[in-house]
Amino acid sequence: MQSKSTGRSGQETSGVREWSRGRLITILTGAVVVALALLVGLGYAIYLAVSGLDGDSSAGDVATGETEHSTVARGASHRDEIAAEPMLSVPPSAAFPDDPDDPDGNWDAGAEQDSIKIPTGTGINGPGLVMTGFPHTPEGAIGQLAQIDTAVLQSMSLQTAQEVYASWALPGGVGAEDWWITSSVEAFLGSSEMGSVKSATASVAVEPAAALVKGTDGPDWATVCVLLKVTATYRSEGHAAFGHCERMQWVGGRWMLAPGVPPAPAPATWSGTELAVEAGWRTWTTDPSTGIPGEHGDDHGEEHSDEQGGAHS
């Protein structure tokens, strides 16, 4: 078992674990909105205290997307700066729909967001049964990260989380046990005492809603962020926005989770809201023609376009 990270990395990992626990418990419990907000707020406050981030969303400069496209790699210190740059701090309630009984009524239907075209990949499962075949572009890194997240969150299995991390992470990262997505799965399962895998009576659906490129360092490295709509059903149904940023690196013909301290947390905002626009989120649109050219024969564009958005499991 890998030991806990120390220093700044260890502090951020611990904080993210608490934050994800609060957020996912709220999705599962089906309690009233006020109680949900209190639970999420508690977890978020703990996260801010541990990480030392400022809780005032209006304070200081925040990253809202790529401002410098670096075509020549500048190295580790530049990458650390990109990853560590804080993003917009938002209240815990920002992750939830205004009307929990009609979540689709205001999903991606408020303020106007810029859009970003994300490739579909080839539709072929790669290591860890994660769909692969995304091109060597920052948008390709976004598509691959969304598929990594979708594979783990929909299965809600600790074994799957560990297998996916082992298959998609380069050496030098936080390790499978301290990976933010693993912590999220643990929170989901622990909140309802399901064990190491979700109950057959529970279901999780994941839908990519928005994304952004936080920064690049040469053609083979990028920090990218995805915003997912998560719908979880267990005794009752809950909906929440789930933001996730990762360092990504192009190695061996695919995008993988890159080494280093995890990026500053992504703002979890309900898509299409004013806060989502302020945070820099760009509405996810699908480009079915941009898998890796020539890989596995046809690019499988339209045929697999629905897979990019995830499915119930």
Side-chain angles (χ1 to χ4, degrees), residues 68-266:
E68 176 187 352
H69 184 74
S70 176
T71 57
V72 177
R74 294 167 57 181
S77 61
H78 182 55
R79 296 178 179 187
D80 288 343
E81 289 175 1
I82 292 172
E85 188 175 5
M87 303 186 74
L88 187 71
S89 294
V90 298
S93 58
F96 300 96
D98 290 336
D99 182 359
D101 294 327
D102 185 24
D104 292 327
N106 65 344
W107 175 255
D108 204 15
E112 291 187 4
Q113 293 178 186
D114 292 337
S115 63
I116 183 171
K117 280 192 173 183
I118 306 300
T120 60
T122 58
I124 305 298
N125 282 340
L129 298 180
V130 175
M131 198 181 83
T132 188
F134 292 89
H136 190 183
T137 63
E139 292 77 14
I142 289 172
Q144 189 64 78
L145 177 59
Q147 286 301 317
I148 290 171
D149 286 353
T150 297
V152 177
L153 293 175
Q154 290 190 160
S155 71
M156 281 298 170
S157 159
L158 290 176
Q159 180 178 348
T160 298
Q162 292 163 358
E163 289 176 353
V164 167
Y165 185 90
S167 299
W168 287 92
L170 294 168
V174 295
E177 302 223 345
D178 288 332
W179 185 35
W180 191 73
I181 302 299
T182 304
S183 299
S184 300
V185 172
E186 288 176 341
F188 183 102
L189 299 173
S191 66
S192 53
E193 301 180 349
M194 288 186 189
S196 62
V197 65
K198 71 177 172 65
S199 166
T201 61
S203 67
V204 178
V206 178
E207 174 190 347
L212 63 85
V213 178
K214 190 178 182 186
T216 60
D217 184 46
D220 297 334
W221 187 94
T223 289
V224 299
C225 307
V226 297
L227 182 67
L228 308 172
K229 175 186 177 184
V230 178
T231 300
T233 304
Y234 181 64
R235 299 173 183 161
S236 62
E237 186 175 87
H239 309 270
F242 188 95
H244 182 207
C245 297
E246 284 283 358
R247 300 173 181 238
M248 303 291 286
Q249 189 165 335
W250 182 263
V251 176
R254 60 181 170 128
W255 286 105
M256 299 183 69
L257 305 178
V261 175

Side-chain angles (χ1 to χ4, degrees), residues 41-82:
L42 175 61
Y44 193 64
I46 293 172
Y47 170 75
L48 292 176
V50 173
S51 66
L53 294 176
D54 190 339
D56 183 356
S57 63
S58 63
D61 294 331
V62 296
T64 58
E66 185 177 8
T67 58
E68 176 187 352
H69 184 74
S70 176
T71 57
V72 177
R74 294 167 57 181
S77 61
H78 182 55
R79 296 178 179 187
D80 288 343
E81 289 175 1
I82 292 172

Side-chain angles (χ1 to χ4, degrees), residues 27-50:
I27 299 175
L28 290 172
T29 57
V32 297
V33 174
V34 173
L36 296 181
L38 288 174
L39 284 172
V40 176
L42 175 61
Y44 193 64
I46 293 172
Y47 170 75
L48 292 176
V50 173

